[in-house]
Amino acid sequence: MNQPSVSSPSARGPADHDIRDQIVAAANEHFSQYGYGKTTVSDLAKAIGFSKAYIYKFFESKQAIGNAICTNCLTEIVAAVEQAINADGISPTERFRRLVKTLIATGVSLFFNDRKLYDIAAFAASERWPSSQVYDAQIKSFVLQIVREGRELGEFERKTPLDETVEAIHLALRPFINPLLLQHNLDFVEEAPSLISNLVLRSLMP
Amino acid sequence: MNQPSVSSPSARGPADHDIRDQIVAAANEHFSQYGYGKTTVSDLAKAIGFSKAYIYKFFESKQAIGNAICTNCLTEIVAAVEQAINADGISPTERFRRLVKTLIATGVSLFFNDRKLYDIAAFAASERWPSSQVYDAQIKSFVLQIVREGRELGEFERKTPLDETVEAIHLALRPFINPLLLQHNLDFVEEAPSLISNLVLRSLMP
């Protein structure tokens, strides 16, 4: 990345990634308050105290900033899921239950506690921003990992092609993985984790 | 229903239900062209050639007209599903596959061929209009009927409580039953019928 040429803090200023983080943090706060749609890069620049041109040195568009915010937010969900499923001494069946439960709980908590941020994630999902696609791929890789382990241990059936099983489970979880869909499924979030987990686990029985 | 007091066609005019049908048909055409949100009851009245007050003799609100349109539209989907699953000499497994396939195909066809009408159905789903709730209940009753028959014939497992099985399947089908969700799942409609059917059918194995 080039040295900023406009409104540069100083020739020996903070590293680029610090400035990026600073912009993302300020944008996060601003979007959380005013919403993504209603905020312009000019508004952001004013709020942070940078020039618009300087912000464009680091992010090519408002969407790029939104994507960075989503990446942070979805990374937190992924970390929560990872922690829940990677406990020692639990079976693939239990891992799967925890995957579903944590996914739904973190998504719902985002919806209720940080609605504006949730709305950015939903927008990201509808527009297929990279952050959203990466998230989807990570969840799918967790599913793959659990199913594969369950098959190796003889806990899950092995007749169905592995990729079909993973695709189908991912599709069944989609209403709760995808923020765009989850907001329309809030009525079901109480019973969904066990209903969906049980259904999928029955389908995995050897 | 009282006799219309304003702009009444005639004292011995057509029966009330004919007039209702006429209003619904005209509204359907009008909404299909201009959308539900943008059309007022005044617009409708003008287009049909009735007074607004006369329309209010038959429908208490624009939503009531929208609901009647949705009922017609969702009833067609239910009829298509019913025809597909009630063929003679097919197994519960095959019935279930047809249920899923027909549901998705009719929903997708509505989306692509009558988008404005689809949008009313999606709005109905988000606002839980009676038409949408009746539709949901009908689909669930088809699922119940198929699962029960499959259990009686020994084709499906019987250990899981029947209502849990039906609820879980209904939840798994929801992204494709509910117009609000289906529009965000269009990328998956090619592979979804077989992936979801296979997953559910594996879960039903005795």
Side-chain angles (χ1 to χ4, degrees):
Chain A
M1 197 168 289
N2 296 325
Q3 275 294 326
S5 58
V6 184
S7 300
S8 168
S10 100
R12 302 180 49 125
D16 278 1
H17 62 85
D18 288 340
I19 300 175
R20 284 179 64 93
D21 287 352
Q22 199 183 335
I23 294 171
V24 170
N28 196 349
E29 201 171 309
H30 212 75
F31 290 152
S32 291
Q33 199 165 351
Y34 303 103
Y36 175 79
K38 285 182 186 151
T39 304
T40 65
V41 174
S42 297
D43 297 335
L44 272 184
K46 207 174 288 176
I48 311 177
F50 287 165
S51 78
K52 200 169 140 183
Y54 185 57
I55 289 180
Y56 278 121
K57 292 280 166 192
F58 294 90
F59 293 96
E60 65 177 1
S61 60
K62 184 175 86 165
Q63 183 185 315
I65 305 175
N67 187 57
I69 291 175
C70 273
T71 298
N72 290 347
C73 161
L74 297 173
T75 302
E76 272 183 45
I77 297 187
V78 168
V81 169
E82 208 158 14
Q83 199 191 357
I85 67 176
N86 285 341
D88 282 339
I90 57 170
S91 65
T93 294
E94 178 57 23
R95 271 190 227 288
F96 185 75
R97 288 192 189 285
R98 291 186 181 196
L99 171 78
V100 177
K101 200 174 157 187
T102 313
L103 265 176
I104 297 181
T106 48
V108 168
S109 152
L110 186 64
F111 181 88
F112 286 110
N113 299 324
D114 204 342
R115 183 58 195 275
K116 301 266 190 210
L117 188 53
Y118 179 93
D119 289 343
I120 306 179
F123 190 65
S126 82
E127 301 288 312
R128 299 152 202 258
W129 290 0
S131 49
S132 161
Q133 295 195 23
V134 166
Y135 173 66
D136 235 41
Q138 279 170 318
I139 301 303
K140 203 185 269 189
S141 83
F142 289 143
V143 173
L144 172 65
Q145 175 194 318
I146 295 170
V147 172
R148 190 179 272 151
E149 191 198 1
R151 287 179 174 216
E152 281 162 10
L153 295 174
E155 204 167 303
F156 298 160
E157 62 96 7
R158 288 175 231 190
K159 275 175 296 178
T160 314
L162 182 62
D163 59 343
E164 184 188 333
T165 298
V166 172
E167 282 297 328
I169 295 174
H170 189 247
L171 202 54
L173 296 183
R174 217 172 157 263
F176 306 99
I177 294 172
N178 188 301
L180 202 57
L181 303 181
L182 176 60
Q183 61 190 325
H184 303 302
N185 282 303
L186 294 173
D187 282 351
F188 301 93
V189 294
E190 284 295 320
E191 67 267 39
S194 76
L195 280 177
I196 289 289
S197 297
N198 288 346
L199 174 83
V200 169
L201 289 167
R202 285 195 296 275
S203 81
L204 290 171
M205 277 182 6
Chain B
M1 200 168 286
N2 295 326
Q3 274 295 328
S5 57
V6 184
S7 300
S8 167
S10 101
R12 301 179 50 123
D16 278 0
H17 61 84
D18 288 340
I19 301 176
R20 283 179 65 92
D21 288 352
Q22 200 183 335
I23 294 170
V24 170
N28 196 350
E29 200 170 310
H30 212 75
F31 290 151
S32 293
Q33 200 165 349
Y34 304 102
Y36 175 80
K38 286 182 187 153
T39 303
T40 64
V41 174
S42 298
D43 296 335
L44 271 183
K46 207 175 286 176
I48 311 177
F50 287 165
S51 77
K52 199 169 139 184
Y54 186 56
I55 289 180
Y56 278 123
K57 292 280 167 190
F58 294 90
F59 293 96
E60 63 178 3
S61 60
K62 184 174 87 165
Q63 182 184 316
I65 305 176
N67 188 56
I69 291 175
C70 274
T71 299
N72 290 347
C73 161
L74 297 174
T75 302
E76 272 183 45
I77 296 186
V78 168
V81 169
E82 207 158 16
Q83 200 190 357
I85 67 175
N86 284 342
D88 282 339
I90 57 171
S91 65
T93 295
E94 178 58 21
R95 270 189 229 287
F96 185 75
R97 287 193 188 285
R98 290 188 183 195
L99 170 78
V100 177
K101 199 174 156 187
T102 313
L103 266 176
I104 297 181
T106 48
V108 169
S109 153
L110 185 65
F111 181 88
F112 286 111
N113 299 324
D114 205 341
R115 181 59 195 272
K116 301 264 190 209
L117 189 52
Y118 179 93
D119 289 343
I120 305 179
F123 189 65
S126 82
E127 301 289 312
R128 299 154 201 251
W129 290 0
S131 49
S132 161
Q133 296 195 23
V134 167
Y135 173 67
D136 236 40
Q138 280 170 318
I139 301 303
K140 203 185 267 189
S141 83
F142 288 143
V143 173
L144 172 64
Q145 174 193 318
I146 294 171
V147 172
R148 190 179 271 154
E149 191 199 1
R151 287 179 173 215
E152 280 163 9
L153 295 175
E155 205 168 303
F156 299 159
E157 61 96 7
R158 288 175 231 189
K159 275 175 294 178
T160 315
L162 182 61
D163 60 342
E164 183 188 334
T165 298
V166 172
E167 283 297 328
I169 295 174
H170 189 248
L171 201 54
L173 296 182
R174 218 173 156 261
F176 305 99
I177 294 173
N178 187 302
L180 203 58
L181 302 181
L182 176 61
Q183 59 191 327
H184 302 302
N185 283 303
L186 294 172
D187 283 351
F188 301 93
V189 293
E190 284 294 319
E191 67 267 39
S194 76
L195 280 177
I196 289 290
S197 296
N198 288 345
L199 174 82
V200 169
L201 288 167
R202 284 195 296 276
S203 82
L204 290 171
M205 278 184 3

